[in-house]
Amino acid sequence: MSNVPEIFGCNVFNDATMKERLPKDTYKALKKTIEEGKSLDINVANVVAHSMKEWAIEQGATHYTHWFQPMTGVTAEKHDGFISPTDDGKVIMSFSGKELIKGEPDASSFPSGGIRATFEARGYTAWDPTSYAFIKDGSLCIPTAFCSYTGEILDKKTPLLRSMEVMSKQAVRILRVFGDTTTKRVKTTVGAEQEYFLIDKEVYKQRKDLIYCGRTLFGARPPKGQELDDHYFGSIKPRVSAYMKELDEELWKHGILSKTKHNEVAPAQHELAPIFDTSNIATDHNQLTMELMKRVAEKHGLVCLLHEKPFAGVNGSGKHNNWAISTNTGKNLLDPSKNPRENTVFLVFLAAVIRAVDEHQDLLRIAVASAGNDHRLGANEAPPAIISMYLGDDLTEVLRSIINDEDYESKSRTVMDTNVDAIPNFTKDTSDRNRTSPFAFTGNKFEFRMLGSSENIGCANTILNTIVADVLADFADELEKAEDVKAAAEELVKKTVIDHKRIIFNGDNYSEEWVAEAAKRGLLNLRTLPDAMPLYCSKENIELFGKHGIYSEVELRSRSEILLENYSKLINIEALTALDMAKKDILPAVAAYIRELAETANLIKSIDSELVTSPETELVKKLSNLLSCFTKKIDALDKAVVGAKEIEDVAANALYYKDSVLSAMNELRVVADEMESNMSSKLWPYPSYGTMLFNV
Ligand code: ADP
Ligand code: MG
């Protein structure tokens, strides 16, 4: 392994490189843009572009690309060479400020949700100087925003940047009320823990479902799953370890603070966690991390699966979005400090989050909705689809004392003594953790645990920032008018907690009782994307996003349409894949096995004509029955897919895919899995669950 501090960030045009290479005044001007959001002069951009290019060429780059995040969910890039012809038939390498600031990809081939007709193709990408440029595969990648010719945004970065601005503005207002005159900006910070599966590439190549859909559509349960809890934090196998080491090295070179790695609960499942950064950079880095995870896997003869539910019967993968708010001087506003009861500023921010989560359950649910994530949230694993908050005993007690106008005695940290002299004593945290909560306070940050493993975290963070900023704006309006700020703030916190305490739940979120209790409390339970999405464009939400300049109504409607359409398209691909596998591989394999068995049965009968039946005959009967059932299910799924074409409305179409197509697929699978369990594994056309999960 190379010297880590030496290689860290070597592929990044980061602050140190800028400081070293840019003229002083250029560096200063750029820094102002990065830290204070000041707009950038073209002359400055020219100097930066030149320096970036020189640096990139030294690193072996020949191209540049505006690296952006369209609504497809994956990053996009179009590579342009630095070459520019000269009169003598040669080329020089050039790159101007104009080229750095703006690119013009064809926008018509990206999802726009009806904003753009295909003949109106122009789109723009605009450089985001707050996220460093980097080199990937011989190209200088410039993180950028993406919008249409008419100015509507078409990406996931722009709304996130907007929401960070809004958050900063409203949080600073609150700080000013409390006499803070020095904080210039407030940033939201994010650490995204990423789960993933690793399987052998040769095995992967034999599964059409994994290739086309990223998840298995068939597969009988293996004898062993995750019931022994022996994979979580288990020792890492050499092949996986070699992968993780190279991945870390690649991530570090790209300036990504990869910190933690371990085996997860399901067999073949792992996790990577970076050290947190600003929401914007954390989002870019998570996108890049996912890409590098896949790329490095290839080199090791492995495939990295980022789908939320690649395998039935074992845990799926998610992404924990750790989120906090901090000032430009580095103070974390969600840190309760030693005595939270007296920490009014903290309580105001805490109350804002509580109210935001309660008032906007719909948006938080929508923020994490995807066809893949429906398999987790709507099912019996991971957090449930119901949004609630975990605050822990300590903070809950603080809030209780506020509601009841009681004093609160701050718990001092107790010492843990293991009764083994050789083990040093240590202080215990003041509250325990709750692994089942979708939105948990974890000491000095909130952990939003509902995100799917493949999702762009930009959406969830845009929504999180916007809804909290909206409440802070309301709080600021009220507190700015108050004569006695402390008294008014305490009253505000008390009232907010009383009004919104239904959202706080410290118990087991997986239990049946909670589903009933949540319904009693009037909390939403939106199990799937088609259930949740219609709420996106409600009057309240159009107003909310409009008020803070995050999305115009047109943008919001386009987003909703893209998400619904994408859902239907994905399920359609899954259905077609299932049909292809069923008709072309599974059916012929079972028929061949039946023939083999029947021939054996006949042979036995020819030896002993008295014999009425044989195990082979019994199995032939069983499999024939299953096969006839299977062909009926194939017909049903075929019909369901055709039926979808008749429904034009996008929301109705998505609902149809969920209710008719997905359920027909599930029924087909049940029969296939039953046949697999009764078949010769030699004749089954695909690697089994056991082979996929326990092979690396
Ligand atoms: P866990 O037990 O869930 O793994 P950790 O304490 O190890 O929790 O942290 C998980 C993630 O939270 C890490 O990515 C870490 O960098 C991030 N994190 C810690 N502090 C903050 C913060 N103030 N803002 C955002 N993320 C944070
Ligand atoms: Mg976590």
Side-chain angles (χ1 to χ4, degrees):
M1 171 67 66
S2 2
N3 181 334
V4 179
E6 211 162 88
I7 61 158
F8 188 86
C10 68
N11 291 345
V12 187
F13 195 70
N14 55 19
D15 192 60
T17 312
M18 287 194 243
K19 202 168 190 171
E20 184 191 310
R21 290 180 162 253
L22 294 174
K24 253 205 185 95
D25 48 341
T26 312
Y27 173 76
K28 262 198 194 150
L30 184 59
K31 223 32 200 170
K32 258 207 149 64
T33 300
I34 294 172
E35 277 166 12
E36 294 168 33
K38 293 256 163 10
S39 61
L40 198 75
D41 186 82
I42 182 71
N43 296 317
V44 176
N46 276 327
V47 180
V48 177
H50 176 77
S51 168
M52 255 188 201
K53 177 205 70 186
E54 295 291 303
W55 169 80
I57 290 171
E58 281 168 34
Q59 316 298 314
T62 52
H63 287 68
Y64 69 92
T65 177
H66 286 259
W67 186 76
F68 59 106
Q69 300 169 29
M71 293 300 292
T72 52
V74 288
T75 48
E77 47 197 38
K78 178 187 105 187
H79 305 260
D80 282 303
F82 287 125
I83 55 164
S84 163
T86 55
D87 292 341
D88 56 357
K90 298 197 154 201
V91 292
I92 51 161
M93 301 296 257
S94 79
F95 185 48
S96 69
K98 214 173 115 210
E99 287 167 309
L100 166 63
I101 289 180
K102 193 183 91 182
E104 283 192 40
D106 185 330
S108 62
S109 299
F110 291 100
S112 75
I115 284 182
R116 309 200 48 73
T118 36
F119 58 91
E120 298 166 321
R122 192 163 276 195
Y124 296 116
T125 48
W127 175 37
D128 165 21
T130 62
S131 181
Y132 300 134
F134 57 92
I135 294 188
K136 180 170 66 81
D137 200 20
S139 281
L140 172 69
C141 299
I142 302 152
T144 49
F146 181 43
C147 64
S148 72
Y149 180 69
T150 39
E152 282 94 8
I153 50 172
L154 297 172
D155 71 342
K156 307 205 175 199
K157 181 190 261 287
T158 317
L160 177 63
L161 290 171
R162 289 176 178 173
S163 76
M164 289 170 73
E165 288 290 323
V166 173
M167 185 68 191
S168 177
K169 187 171 144 204
Q170 301 305 339
V172 168
R173 279 180 71 198
I174 298 282
L175 294 177
R176 291 281 182 274
V177 171
F178 286 97
D180 173 340
T181 52
T182 49
T183 298
K184 281 192 184 153
R185 284 171 79 79
V186 163
K187 293 179 198 163
T188 47
T189 52
V190 168
E193 304 166 51
Q194 176 74 47
E195 292 180 342
Y196 61 100
F197 279 86
L198 274 185
I199 65 165
D200 190 277
K201 191 168 177 196
E202 290 310 311
V203 172
Y204 168 88
K205 285 199 307 210
Q206 297 171 54
R207 300 261 343 184
K208 289 178 194 169
D209 44 8
L210 287 179
I211 293 171
Y212 296 137
C213 315
R215 75 172 177 110
T216 53
L217 302 174
F218 298 103
R221 305 294 146 87
K224 179 181 191 288
Q226 64 189 41
E227 56 279 85
L228 294 180
D229 293 325
D230 55 352
H231 195 254
Y232 189 62
F233 282 17
S235 79
I236 300 168
K237 291 195 183 137
R239 206 169 153 203
V240 175
S241 172
Y243 165 79
M244 287 176 165
K245 280 184 186 144
E246 186 170 345
L247 177 61
D248 272 340
E249 193 162 325
E250 273 305 303
L251 293 170
W252 291 333
K253 282 183 186 165
H254 285 85
I256 297 171
L257 293 158
S258 171
K259 169 93 171 162
T260 310
K261 51 187 181 185
H262 60 80
N263 286 350
E264 256 303 326
V265 170
Q269 192 185 30
H270 314 280
E271 181 181 298
L272 180 151
I275 296 175
F276 69 95
D277 213 319
T278 61
S279 306
N280 170 34
I281 291 174
T283 303
D284 285 358
H285 280 179
N286 184 251
Q287 289 296 117
L288 191 53
T289 299
M290 291 194 285
E291 189 181 331
L292 290 171
M293 278 178 153
K294 293 194 163 191
R295 196 187 286 214
V296 173
E298 292 274 328
K299 285 210 218 159
H300 291 254
L302 298 165
V303 173
C304 171
L305 302 175
L306 290 172
H307 193 283
E308 283 75 16
K309 192 73 182 177
F311 305 101
V314 296
N315 275 9
S317 298
K319 194 137 54 184
H320 290 176
N321 191 84
N322 295 272
W323 177 88
I325 317 166
S326 91
T327 65
N328 60 310
T329 53
K331 182 174 156 46
N332 181 355
L333 298 169
L334 292 181
D335 186 350
S337 69
K338 281 224 170 72
N339 191 353
R341 181 73 164 89
E342 296 307 314
N343 189 344
T344 317
V345 178
F346 164 75
L347 290 173
V348 167
F349 279 93
L350 177 69
V353 179
I354 293 171
R355 181 175 137 192
V357 173
D358 186 32
E359 274 180 353
H360 302 287
Q361 297 160 45
D362 57 340
L363 287 177
L364 287 170
R365 176 64 186 88
I366 287 163
V368 298
S370 70
N373 217 14
D374 280 357
H375 297 289
R376 300 172 61 238
L377 303 179
N380 285 331
E381 68 165 85
I386 305 164
I387 311 264
S388 71
M389 287 172 92
Y390 170 82
L391 294 181
D393 299 341
D394 222 21
L395 274 190
T396 307
E397 200 44 42
V398 170
L399 297 183
R400 208 188 55 80
S401 75
I402 292 173
I403 296 177
N404 299 331
D405 291 318
E406 288 167 9
D407 286 338
Y408 171 76
E409 182 111 18
S410 190
K411 267 191 226 152
S412 51
R413 291 179 157 222
T414 49
V415 170
M416 181 77 108
D417 185 351
T418 56
N419 270 333
V420 178
D421 288 343
I423 298 177
N425 294 343
F426 53 90
T427 52
K428 245 167 71 159
D429 290 303
T430 47
S431 29
D432 200 359
R433 289 182 165 238
N434 180 326
R435 285 279 165 200
T436 69
S437 174
F439 202 96
F441 187 74
T442 46
N444 59 0
K445 61 187 189 305
F446 278 98
E447 189 168 341
F448 186 22
R449 300 205 180 107
M450 293 171 85
L451 285 75
S453 48
S454 70
E455 288 168 354
N456 182 317
I457 63 171
C459 285
N461 286 293
T462 299
I463 284 177
L464 205 46
N465 295 345
T466 307
I467 62 177
V468 175
D470 183 61
V471 179
L472 289 175
D474 222 31
F475 283 5
D477 287 345
E478 195 166 327
L479 294 177
E480 280 166 356
K481 285 189 299 223
E483 274 169 26
D484 180 347
V485 173
K486 196 163 160 63
E490 274 167 13
E491 204 40 47
L492 182 65
V493 170
K494 181 176 166 183
K495 184 176 178 312
T496 307
V497 175
I498 291 173
D499 288 350
H500 299 282
K501 64 179 192 307
R502 65 168 185 172
I503 198 72
I504 299 165
F505 177 61
N506 291 333
D508 180 2
N509 283 260
Y510 295 174
S511 69
E512 302 255 334
E513 295 81 48
W514 170 234
V515 178
E517 163 71 16
K520 235 191 273 162
R521 294 190 191 185
L523 302 181
L524 290 175
N525 185 0
L526 302 165
R527 297 198 43 191
T528 65
L529 181 144
D531 299 324
M533 206 51 73
L535 301 179
Y536 206 9
C537 300
S538 68
K539 198 172 132 277
E540 293 79 24
N541 289 338
I542 291 170
E543 252 171 51
L544 170 77
F545 288 117
K547 177 180 167 197
H548 298 290
I550 309 290
Y551 299 125
S552 66
E553 182 172 347
V554 172
E555 287 168 343
L556 194 62
R557 289 197 186 282
S558 98
R559 249 145 237 264
S560 158
E561 199 170 313
I562 291 169
L563 292 165
L564 283 162
E565 242 174 39
N566 196 35
Y567 175 89
S568 299
K569 283 180 190 164
L570 273 174
I571 306 234
N572 193 55
I573 293 170
E574 289 188 348
L576 296 181
T577 305
L579 284 168
D580 181 288
M581 293 170 79
K583 292 181 196 173
K584 294 188 182 153
D585 303 334
I586 299 176
L587 203 147
V590 179
Y593 187 47
I594 290 176
R595 187 167 58 243
E596 199 177 282
L597 288 168
E599 280 166 8
T600 315
N602 281 339
L603 199 66
I604 294 169
K605 200 142 190 222
S606 72
I607 297 166
D608 179 358
S609 57
E610 304 283 284
L611 214 63
V612 187
T613 185
S614 67
E616 287 79 6
T617 326
E618 292 306 310
L619 196 49
V620 166
K621 279 190 211 154
K622 182 171 187 174
L623 284 171
S624 293
N625 280 337
L626 283 168
L627 199 58
S628 112
C629 180
F630 192 59
T631 49
K632 282 187 195 120
K633 301 287 181 200
I634 289 176
D635 283 347
L637 180 55
D638 255 330
K639 285 208 183 76
V641 171
V642 173
K645 298 208 173 72
E646 279 153 33
I647 305 162
E648 283 201 1
D649 177 73
V650 279
N653 198 246
L655 258 181
Y656 176 87
Y657 267 102
K658 182 196 79 165
D659 290 333
S660 304
V661 180
L662 205 52
S663 52
M665 277 169 61
N666 289 339
E667 286 184 24
L668 180 69
R669 176 185 185 144
V670 171
V671 188
D673 292 358
E674 181 64 21
M675 294 195 296
E676 183 185 352
S677 307
N678 289 286
M679 274 274 293
S680 145
S681 51
K682 277 205 194 95
L683 288 180
W684 192 253
Y686 308 113
S688 68
Y689 259 46
T691 306
M692 286 186 280
L693 289 170
F694 294 96
N695 193 33
V696 173

